[in-house]
């Protein structure tokens, strides 16, 4: 088992290297660089361009150097915690992203927990009562949740929250707490605002998860070993929890790997609508303005999350399913 | 309105009437209905029988006869759509002295939960799917114990180990920590039996307990059930379609047909004086070893039909037999090794070589049926896949002799050509081998479409002809597979395999998933088609009696090697190899005076060549040679062994 974990962790290194190459290629792909578009923008506004300053910047950030050299510098920098410099913000990337990452993680984790808490009971109920009115009703609600565009739901909830609870529009906290140190009041304010993005981002995921859990559980409930368990004299609830639910967890655990990046990237549009101080809006503007180091670091961040997510789900699967754990005669 | 009627039992409660003293279970006028599309379909129609304490009763019948449903109703594990509409199931528990009408008890009630697994237990057909892959054997067995008995954890585990020992587990204290997928099929079924019996129930319901197992393992499991029954003093209700199993196990037999009892009585009465036509038909449908040449199986489903066999067939067969037989397919020194890699990536990887087919040579002659017999894992499927070119051999030759010349299939990788048309395959599972989303017409003509032969009009003519050939009504062509029974589906598969006018048909266990009466029909059909079309068959099966019925020559395989080959009559009259003899002796006969010799069964696997007596013993990789006994009879022995070394 330890060997398995080690091998999986070591395997992440080449994976991330390949991803970094692809990311770097993508951010290099558009013709020109940030400075060129910056110069073009200044000229369009009729401002004079200081050639010396541009050349200095060009020198400073190594735009003159060959591609391979810049790639190596970029990767080397990231390994040392230096994610490069954002031209747009004129700040180091880590300064821009730092604050936002914490809030992004808070929103994402809350969304995942919300999704699970809602989807699990629904999925189990639908599977054990399939083709009942309850099942049909929940299916209808689920489809409604899947089909409603996130931004629309976001606007509706913003309005309702403002009218009913007096919550301020947009953001993750009352404006007065912005740039303040963490305090009890700030925390309460964050919690007050948090539920809207969580519900908005989580709705579609919840509906999907509930449907998948229902389908998987239905398959498992038909199987012979469920009858065997029942024939032993176990009560129906115990049978359900110990056998088919356990087997239906497999798909769920293998889903974790995709859940993390999907939630973080999927939340971007919502984040713009709700003007959340998370990472999403920053990524989109960085991509638009060819702010290459900022965009690159973001993409790397998302990729790392995916790879870590897959690792977590693989390890969880191995713990859950003895067939995977003991595969190929691994020692027990 | 029908949906509201789903009460499980008649609401009128009454005191259970007295039952005769020795009866453990008394079933009276039991009726069970399935609710389908708001309609009640009765599947058990007024069945009455009894099970005496300590005795064995066999419920015999074919798929759809309602035998499993009766078992489920006693167990209280009927599916949701089923309900008992009338009748009673009286269970007289000697332990408590109470008589309970199980038909009146709610399936999900505490009362039933205590009886289930505690007083009545069940084992199922498929030992892999009946056990959860996520829990250890020990966990799953002890679970029943902790539910029904007041024991501490360590006492419980001791009892589990004791039970596993009783069930013949080689290393019971280690076995409790194993997962089902780490065990062989036979051991899984033993674990299932241990689970059912760990609480010492008064009744064991065995629902087709050996149908999914190889014949030698089947004999071992039957012996185990008998031994345990004697030791624990329980009654057994065995549900099966195999009259051979019944003859070896039962005291009383109940024959079911479409939910009704056709005949019941002691095993002696049933086997010596079968009265009902259906029962007689069942006996006639079982292939057995002493059939006269030319004797045909009679399927009860055929009874009203005129035999489709042309009258001059026997004469034609003789004529063909005289012709000197030319080899159509010749396999020379064929070997297939599989390499399983463990570890990998950054860990040290070790290679584990498995020789699935080990230096196999044989030939298939034109117009003959070569039977290939062996148990699961002997390499017979690997061999057939290599002939189909689905697998590349490690070494050796597969020569096809055709009018256009000889081709070596082991080297010829030219797919899609006429070689692919010359060899076709019929599969075991008639449900999995037909695409449920294609009509019968499209299924049968698909080979023609793939090989771009003819247009749609040609196909229509050809498919009609094929349907007649496999005795199916051409009007069925627009239907989908789900509206056909297993036997009809197998006919469709057969028609598909014949679409390209092949010379050689590989039949991989074509009847092992079918009921005996259907099996008899398909076997007869195969025989008829062979003589009508002049086909050559490679017939693969683990069922010796079936192979005996269809094959001209037989080869026996074990652990990747051919251990004996002979013409059919010779092999069954005079089996020489230890393994062949063990196989033949493990086949249960549907006759009372020829019981299985259970005492002769070894406790371990009879399939281990290291346990065979000399000169048959071989270790993996050891060089062996064939000893020619005349009459084309060959047996695999140690190098240098002669006829004198063979056991009598």
């Amino acid at each position: 088992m330890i060997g398995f974990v080690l091998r999986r962790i070591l395997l992440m290194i080449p994976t991330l290297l390949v991803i970094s190459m692809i990311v770097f290629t993508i951010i290099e792909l558009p013709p020109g660089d940030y400075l060129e578009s910056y110069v073009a923008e200044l000229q369009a506004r009729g401002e004079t361009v200081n050639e010396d300053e541009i050349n200095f910047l060009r020198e400073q950030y190594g735009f003159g150097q060959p591609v391979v050299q810049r790639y190596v510098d970029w990767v080397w920098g990231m390994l040392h915690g230096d994610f490069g410099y954002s031209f747009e913000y004129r700040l180091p990337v880590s300064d821009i992203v730092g604050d936002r990452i914490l809030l992004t993680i808070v929103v994402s984790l809350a969304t995942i927990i919300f999704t699970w808490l809602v989807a699990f009971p629904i999925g189990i109920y639908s599977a054990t009562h399939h083709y009942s009115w309850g099942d049909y009703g929940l299916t209808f609600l689920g489809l409604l949740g899947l089909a409603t565009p996130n931004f629309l739901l976001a606007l509706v909830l913003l309005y309702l929250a403002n009218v009913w609870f007096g919550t301020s529009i947009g953001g993750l906290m009352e404006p007065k707490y912005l740039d303040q140190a963490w305090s009890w009041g700030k925390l309460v304010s964050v919690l007050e605002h948090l539920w809207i993005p969580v519900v908005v981002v989580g709705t579609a995921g919840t509906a999907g998860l509930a449907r998948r859990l229902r389908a998987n559980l239905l398959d498992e409930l038909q199987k012979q070993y469920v009858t065997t368990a029942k024939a032993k004299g176990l009560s129906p609830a115990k049978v359900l929890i110990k056998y088919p639910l356990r087997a239906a967890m497999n798909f769920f655990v293998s889903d974790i790997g995709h859940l993390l990046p999907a939630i973080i990237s999927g939340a971007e549009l919502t984040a713009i609508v709700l003007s959340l101080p998370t990472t999403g809006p920053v990524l989109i503007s960085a991509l638009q303005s060819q702010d290459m180091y900022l965009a690159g670091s973001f993409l790397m961040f998302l990729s790392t999350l995916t790879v870590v997510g897959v690792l977590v789900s693989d390890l969880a699967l191995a713990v859950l399913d003895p067939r995977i754990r003991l595969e190929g005669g691994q020692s027990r | 309105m029908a949906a509201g009627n789903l009460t499980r039992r008649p609401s009128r409660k009454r005191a259970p009437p007295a039952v005769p003293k020795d009866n453990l279970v008394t079933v009276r006028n039991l009726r069970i209905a399935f609710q389908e599309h708001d309609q009640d379909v009765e599947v058990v129609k007024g069945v009455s029988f009894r099970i005496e304490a300590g005795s064995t009763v066999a419920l015999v019948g074919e798929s759809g006869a309602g035998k499993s449903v009766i078992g489920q109703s006693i167990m209280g594990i009927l599916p949701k759509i089923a309900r008992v509409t009338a009748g009673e199931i009286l269970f007289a528990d000697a332990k408590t002295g109470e008589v309970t009408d199980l038909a009146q008890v709610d399936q999900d009630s505490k009362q039933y939960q205590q009886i289930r697994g505690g007083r009545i237990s069940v084992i199922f057909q498929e030992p892999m799917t009946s056990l959860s892959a996520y829990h250890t054997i020990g966990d799953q067995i002890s679970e029943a114990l902790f539910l029904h008995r007041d024991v501490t954890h360590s006492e419980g585990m001791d009892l589990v180990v004791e039970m596993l020992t009783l069930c013949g587990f080689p290393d019971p204290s280690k076995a409790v920590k194993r997962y089902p997928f780490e065990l062989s099929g036979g051991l899984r079924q033993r674990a299932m039996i241990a689970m059912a019996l760990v609480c010492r129930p008064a009744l064991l319901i065995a629902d087709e307990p050996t149908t999914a197992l190889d014949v030698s393992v089947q004999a071992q499991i039957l012996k185990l059930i008998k031994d345990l029954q004697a030791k624990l003093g329980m009654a057994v209700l065995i549900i099966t379609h195999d009259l051979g199993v019944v003859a070896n196990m039962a005291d009383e037999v109940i024959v079911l047909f479409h939910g009704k009892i056709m005949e019941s009585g002691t095993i002696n009465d049933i086997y010596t004086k079968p009265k009902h036509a259906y029962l007689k038909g069942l006996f006639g449908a079982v292939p057995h070893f002493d059939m006269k040449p030319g004797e045909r199986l009679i399927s009860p489903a055929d009874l009203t039909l005129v035999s489709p066999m042309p009258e001059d067939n026997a004469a034609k067969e003789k004529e063909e037999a005289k012709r000197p037989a030319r080899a159509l397919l010749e396999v020379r020194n064929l070997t297939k090794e599989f390499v399983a890699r463990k570890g990998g990536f950054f860990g040290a990887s070790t290679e584990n070589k498995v020789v699935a087919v080990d230096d196999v040579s044989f030939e298939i002659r034109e117009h003959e049926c070569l039977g290939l017999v062996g148990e699961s894992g002997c390499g017979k499927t690997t061999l057939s896949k290599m002939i189909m070119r689905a697998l590349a051999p490690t070494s050796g030759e597969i020569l096809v002799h055709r009018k256009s010349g000889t081709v070596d299939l082991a080297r010829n990788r030219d797919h899609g050509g006429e070689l692919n048309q010359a060899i076709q395959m019929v599969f075991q599972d008639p449900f999995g081998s037909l695409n449920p989303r294609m009509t019968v017409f499209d299924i049968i003509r698909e080979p023609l479409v793939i090989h771009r032969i003819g247009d749609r009009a040609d196909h229509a003519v050809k498919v009609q002809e094929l349907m007649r050939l496999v005795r199916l009504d051409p009007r069925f062509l627009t239907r989908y597979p789900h509206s056909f029974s297993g036997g009809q589906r197998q006919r469709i598969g057969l028609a598909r395999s014949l679409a390209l006018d092949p010379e050689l048909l590989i039949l991989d266990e074509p009847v092992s998933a079918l009921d005996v009466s259907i099996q008899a029909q398909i076997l007869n059909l195969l025989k008829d088609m062979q003589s009508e079309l002049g086909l050559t068959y490679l017939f693969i099966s683990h069922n010796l009696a079936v192979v005996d019925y269809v094959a001209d020559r037989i080869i026996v395989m074990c652990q990747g090697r051919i251990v004996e080959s002979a013409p059919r009559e010779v092999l069954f009259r005079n089996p020489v190899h230890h393994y062949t003899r063990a196989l033949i002796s493990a086949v249960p006969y549907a006759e009372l005076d020829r019981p299985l010799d259970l005492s002769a069964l070894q406790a371990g696997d009879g399939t281990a060549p290291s346990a065979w007596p000399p000169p048959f013993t071989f270790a993996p990789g050891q060089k062996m040679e064939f000893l020619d006994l005349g009459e084309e009879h060959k047996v695999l022995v140690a190098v240098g062994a002669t006829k004198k070394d063979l056991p009598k």
Side-chain angles (χ1 to χ4, degrees):
Chain A
M1 189 68 193
I2 293 169
F4 175 72
V5 175
L6 272 182
R7 265 207 312 280
R8 287 309 317 258
I9 290 176
L10 285 176
L11 193 65
M12 284 171 66
I13 296 173
T15 315
L16 284 175
L17 263 181
V18 171
I19 292 175
S20 71
M21 286 179 203
I22 296 172
V23 164
F24 193 77
T25 314
I26 290 174
I27 55 179
E28 281 284 313
L29 267 185
D33 51 41
Y34 176 78
L35 290 179
E36 274 174 29
S37 41
Y38 177 62
V39 169
E41 197 185 316
L42 286 184
Q43 283 167 341
R45 276 195 248 144
E47 291 175 32
T48 50
V49 182
N50 186 342
E51 283 290 330
D52 287 345
E53 191 197 327
I54 296 297
N55 283 336
F56 172 75
L57 282 173
R58 202 174 286 274
E59 197 66 26
Q60 179 89 12
Y61 296 109
F63 282 135
Q65 277 163 352
V67 174
V68 177
Q69 178 68 40
R70 275 184 287 143
Y71 168 71
V72 171
D73 284 348
W74 180 59
V75 171
W76 190 248
M78 280 198 294
L79 287 178
H80 291 80
D82 171 16
F83 293 94
Y85 187 84
S86 163
F87 307 111
E88 180 97 17
Y89 292 83
R90 293 177 187 271
L91 279 172
V93 168
S94 45
D95 285 2
I96 306 165
V97 179
D99 287 349
R100 290 170 180 263
I101 278 188
L102 176 71
L103 287 170
T104 307
I105 290 173
V106 166
V107 172
S108 305
L109 278 184
T111 311
I112 292 173
I113 292 168
F114 168 80
T115 311
W116 288 352
L117 283 184
V118 179
F120 253 76
I122 293 179
I124 294 171
Y125 179 88
S126 296
T128 48
H129 297 79
H130 69 289
Y131 303 139
S132 67
W133 284 111
D135 179 26
Y136 286 134
L138 289 169
T139 303
F140 176 72
L141 276 182
L143 289 177
L144 213 59
L146 264 181
T148 314
N150 275 353
F151 72 89
L152 185 69
L153 195 62
L155 289 175
V156 171
L157 283 183
L158 268 188
Y159 172 77
L160 292 181
N162 186 259
V163 172
W164 290 346
F165 308 117
T167 315
S168 63
I169 301 278
L172 263 184
M173 58 197 85
E174 295 283 330
K176 63 179 176 186
Y177 291 112
L178 284 175
D179 299 324
Q180 296 281 312
W182 281 93
S183 64
W184 180 247
K186 182 166 172 172
L187 188 68
V188 171
S189 176
V190 166
L191 288 179
E192 270 176 6
H193 287 75
L194 191 60
W195 69 273
I196 297 177
V198 164
V199 169
V200 171
V201 180
T203 314
T206 306
L209 183 64
R211 294 302 296 169
R212 284 198 303 273
L213 184 64
R214 174 183 183 273
N216 274 276
L217 201 53
L218 264 184
D219 272 358
E220 294 297 328
L221 282 171
Q222 313 283 343
K223 291 199 176 150
Q224 184 75 57
Y225 66 84
V226 180
T227 316
T228 309
K230 214 178 150 195
K232 274 189 247 184
L234 280 175
S235 65
K238 269 194 194 148
V239 170
L240 177 74
I241 291 168
K242 180 163 179 183
Y243 294 102
L245 196 57
R246 166 96 188 249
M249 288 296 283
N250 255 15
F251 98 90
F252 173 73
V253 167
S254 49
D255 218 35
I256 294 178
H258 305 113
L259 204 61
L260 286 178
I263 283 182
I264 288 170
S265 59
E268 267 132 39
L269 269 182
T270 316
I272 291 176
V273 173
L274 297 175
S275 42
L276 298 181
T278 54
T279 50
V282 180
L283 173 60
I284 287 181
S285 73
L287 285 171
Q288 280 169 342
S289 63
Q290 274 191 302
D291 193 352
M292 58 175 289
Y293 288 120
L294 186 57
S297 301
F298 257 117
L299 291 176
M300 273 316 286
F301 171 66
L302 286 181
S303 314
T304 312
L305 270 184
T306 314
V307 175
V308 170
V310 170
L311 174 76
V312 168
S313 73
D314 276 5
L315 295 185
L317 263 186
V319 171
L320 198 67
D321 192 336
R323 280 171 299 188
I324 295 169
R325 185 164 70 244
L326 301 176
E327 152 240 33
Q330 304 276 348
S331 55
R332 352 173 100 247
Chain B
M1 125 124 193
N5 260 347
L6 255 179
T7 42
R8 234 161 242 298
R9 57 221 138 112
S11 53
R12 195 158 47 90
K13 282 220 171 187
R14 48 200 162 165
V19 285
K21 205 168 165 251
D22 292 335
N23 283 4
L24 180 67
V25 174
T26 315
V27 174
R28 281 190 193 140
N29 193 28
L30 183 68
R31 287 173 182 275
I32 300 172
F34 275 53
Q35 196 177 34
E36 282 168 8
H37 309 296
D38 286 345
Q39 257 187 335
D40 274 359
V41 180
E42 202 160 60
V43 289
V44 175
K45 303 161 183 168
V47 164
S48 307
F49 64 95
R50 61 183 181 132
I51 304 169
E52 279 180 37
S55 74
T56 304
V57 175
L59 269 180
V60 184
E62 311 206 312
S63 342
K67 52 191 195 313
S68 287
V69 181
I70 294 176
Q72 288 167 350
S73 71
I74 299 175
M75 246 347 249
I77 49 173
L78 282 173
K80 271 186 185 153
I81 53 162
R83 69 197 165 100
V84 175
T85 50
E88 47 197 26
I89 304 168
L90 303 177
F91 176 61
D93 194 343
K95 207 174 174 188
T96 55
E98 281 171 22
V99 177
T100 323
D101 184 358
L102 296 178
Q104 304 276 346
V105 181
D106 181 0
Q107 286 199 4
D108 289 335
S109 67
K110 267 262 166 311
Q111 189 189 358
Y112 224 136
Q113 281 169 30
Q114 272 158 13
I115 294 172
R116 240 187 339 245
R119 303 304 300 148
I120 308 179
S121 290
V122 67
I123 52 178
F124 299 107
Q125 173 175 349
E126 196 32 82
M128 183 69 226
T129 52
S130 309
L131 293 168
S132 160
Y134 297 89
H135 303 85
T136 57
I137 300 287
D139 180 8
Q140 295 185 60
I141 298 174
S142 61
E143 186 177 34
L145 196 62
F146 296 135
L147 271 173
H148 301 287
R149 292 255 211 107
D150 194 16
V151 288
T152 65
H153 185 81
S154 65
E155 282 170 2
M157 290 325 273
D158 287 348
L159 283 171
V160 169
V161 170
E162 188 192 320
M163 198 66 226
L164 285 173
T165 319
L166 269 183
C167 289
F169 260 79
D171 194 353
S173 46
K174 267 194 190 149
V176 288
K177 294 194 195 87
R178 301 245 161 232
Y179 290 95
F181 57 89
E182 296 179 280
L183 305 174
S184 69
L187 278 183
R188 281 182 211 144
Q189 196 61 308
R190 284 172 194 266
M192 189 73 201
I193 293 172
M195 184 156 79
L197 300 186
V198 73
C199 293
R200 319 272 161 139
L203 172 65
L204 172 70
I205 300 175
D207 191 347
E208 304 267 11
T210 57
T211 309
L213 304 174
D214 277 332
V215 56
S216 55
V217 181
Q218 157 168 304
Q220 290 171 13
I221 296 291
L222 293 179
K223 174 175 160 26
L224 176 67
I225 295 177
K226 262 196 148 168
D227 289 353
L228 289 172
Q229 182 178 16
K231 260 184 214 145
L232 309 178
M234 62 187 175
V236 174
L237 176 66
I238 186 161
I239 298 171
T240 182
H241 67 270
D242 188 335
L243 291 167
V245 168
V246 175
N248 280 283
M249 298 293 287
D251 302 317
E252 282 176 45
V253 183
I254 298 155
V255 183
L256 277 175
F257 182 68
H258 286 314
K260 281 190 191 138
I261 294 183
M262 289 289 117
E263 203 160 345
S264 67
T266 65
I267 180 111
N268 265 316
D269 290 348
I270 295 285
Y271 275 67
T272 51
K273 293 171 276 183
K275 290 188 203 90
H276 203 278
Y278 173 70
L279 183 58
K280 286 183 192 160
L282 271 189
F283 278 111
V286 184
H288 50 94
F289 290 136
D290 7 67
M291 297 184 77
K292 292 168 207 77
E295 186 181 341
R296 280 172 72 83
L297 296 174
I298 305 149
S299 167
D302 276 346
L303 285 180
T304 52
L305 300 173
V306 190
S307 164
M309 183 137 165
E311 280 164 23
D312 60 341
N313 232 29
K316 207 163 132 198
E317 262 173 28
K318 265 184 206 147
E319 199 179 293
E320 269 172 17
K322 276 183 213 149
R323 251 192 277 157
R326 189 176 67 91
L328 175 69
L329 187 90
E330 216 176 321
V331 171
R332 284 189 200 154
N333 307 99
L334 194 64
T335 298
K336 176 73 192 176
E337 288 172 359
F338 287 107
V339 179
R341 223 177 246 113
K342 289 178 186 171
F345 294 145
F346 303 100
S349 71
T350 49
E351 284 192 354
N352 193 5
K353 218 187 274 177
V354 179
V355 186
V357 173
D358 189 357
D359 192 19
V360 161
S361 307
F362 64 91
E363 58 175 30
I364 307 177
R365 294 167 200 158
E366 229 171 6
H367 309 306
E368 82 163 346
C369 176
L370 180 70
L372 172 57
V373 180
E375 300 190 279
S376 32
C378 76
K380 54 191 198 296
T381 303
T382 310
L383 181 64
S384 68
K385 280 186 181 161
M386 284 192 284
I387 298 176
M388 287 302 293
R389 296 193 294 175
L391 277 178
T394 312
S395 66
E397 295 174 320
I398 308 169
L399 302 175
V400 198
H401 302 293
R402 310 184 65 217
K403 287 185 191 90
S404 50
T406 297
V407 187
D408 183 1
L409 292 183
R411 266 153 210 86
N412 187 301
R413 304 268 94 213
D414 165 35
H415 282 265
E418 55 158 2
L419 270 174
N420 274 40
Q421 300 175 26
I423 304 176
Q424 291 291 314
M425 185 140 179
V426 177
F427 302 93
Q428 171 176 5
D429 179 7
F431 293 86
S433 57
L434 300 181
N435 184 343
R437 283 173 187 80
M438 282 164 82
T439 62
V440 173
F441 177 73
D442 285 328
I443 287 172
I444 297 180
R445 82 181 180 121
E446 197 182 20
L448 299 169
V449 176
I450 290 171
H451 287 274
R452 303 211 178 104
I453 299 170
D455 55 20
R456 202 183 162 89
D458 298 338
H459 294 174
V461 176
K462 179 81 186 171
V463 169
Q464 296 258 353
E465 184 194 319
L466 288 168
M467 286 291 272
R468 269 192 297 277
L469 201 60
V470 297
R471 329 263 188 255
L472 279 178
D473 192 330
R475 282 175 305 175
F476 294 161
L477 279 174
T478 50
R479 295 200 192 165
Y480 288 88
H482 67 80
S483 55
F484 294 93
S485 68
Q488 287 171 324
R489 283 167 195 240
Q490 202 58 310
R491 283 167 196 263
I492 296 170
L494 208 52
R496 174 176 58 185
S497 72
L498 292 174
L500 295 168
D501 298 321
E503 289 164 52
L504 174 66
L505 266 193
I506 299 179
L507 303 150
D508 190 357
E509 303 261 13
V511 294
S512 59
L514 306 173
D515 280 333
V516 294
S517 60
I518 309 299
Q519 169 179 311
Q521 289 179 343
I522 298 287
L523 290 177
N524 284 339
L525 176 68
L526 284 172
K527 281 192 130 182
D528 294 348
M529 286 195 324
Q530 188 182 17
S531 53
E532 276 172 45
L533 305 175
L535 290 167
T536 307
Y537 291 157
L538 173 61
F539 192 101
I540 302 171
S541 178
H542 69 276
N543 188 334
L544 289 163
V546 165
V547 174
D548 176 45
Y549 181 62
V550 293
D552 302 309
R553 289 188 310 127
I554 295 173
I555 54 183
V556 181
M557 256 183 107
C558 184
Q559 304 247 325
R561 302 200 193 194
I562 293 178
V563 295
E564 190 163 4
S565 70
R568 194 203 104 219
E569 329 77 70
V570 178
L571 187 77
F572 288 104
R573 200 182 57 223
N574 181 25
V576 172
H577 198 281
H578 177 77
Y579 178 68
T580 318
R581 286 184 178 181
L583 272 186
I584 293 179
S585 69
V587 176
Y589 282 82
E591 290 167 44
L592 292 182
D593 44 355
R594 292 167 83 173
L596 283 176
D597 188 2
L598 294 177
S599 58
L601 286 170
Q602 309 109 300
D605 273 343
T607 51
S610 52
W612 295 341
F616 305 125
T617 331
F618 69 79
Q622 188 181 331
K623 183 125 185 72
M624 301 288 282
E625 65 179 16
F626 279 98
L627 183 61
D628 198 338
L629 302 173
E631 294 183 285
E632 294 192 275
H633 192 171
K634 286 181 192 159
V635 63
L636 188 72
V637 290
V639 177
T642 60
K643 269 191 193 180
K644 270 179 267 164
D645 299 321
L646 297 176
K648 279 283 153 306

